[in-house]
Amino acid sequence: MSFTEAIKGALKNKELTPSDLARMTGYTPQYIHEILSGKKRWNETTIYRACEALDLEIEITGKRSKTT
């Protein structure tokens, strides 16, 4: 799952819109829509603000090994 997919899922679960996320993070709705559509890229600050607004935590883990 990509970070964008995770944010979209969190918005859906919390019954929020991208415009709600924009208000919560201090960004414009247009900017949030562009990030979520892939026209703009996430950066450290936007990731942090989105996670704080949606009460999410990022966890870094190793790759899962593939077994055949």
Side-chain angles (χ1 to χ4, degrees):
M1 173 183 290
S2 74
F3 184 75
T4 298
E5 290 170 342
I7 294 296
K8 287 178 179 180
L11 289 172
K12 184 175 180 179
N13 289 341
K14 295 177 183 283
E15 298 181 356
L16 297 171
T17 66
S19 294
D20 294 327
L21 180 59
R23 279 189 292 281
M24 296 164 72
T25 57
Y27 293 114
T28 64
Q30 178 182 354
Y31 183 69
I32 294 297
H33 284 277
E34 288 175 346
I35 290 175
L36 293 175
S37 70
K39 292 180 183 176
K40 293 202 182 276
R41 297 180 128 195
W42 291 97
N43 63 44
E44 186 177 345
T45 304
T46 54
I47 290 170
Y48 174 80
R49 287 185 184 181
C51 288
E52 285 292 307
L54 298 173
D55 197 29
L56 300 175
E57 183 176 280
I58 296 174
E59 182 177 335
I60 307 297
T61 60
K63 287 185 176 182
R64 295 183 181 140
S65 62
K66 295 181 181 178
T67 55
T68 53

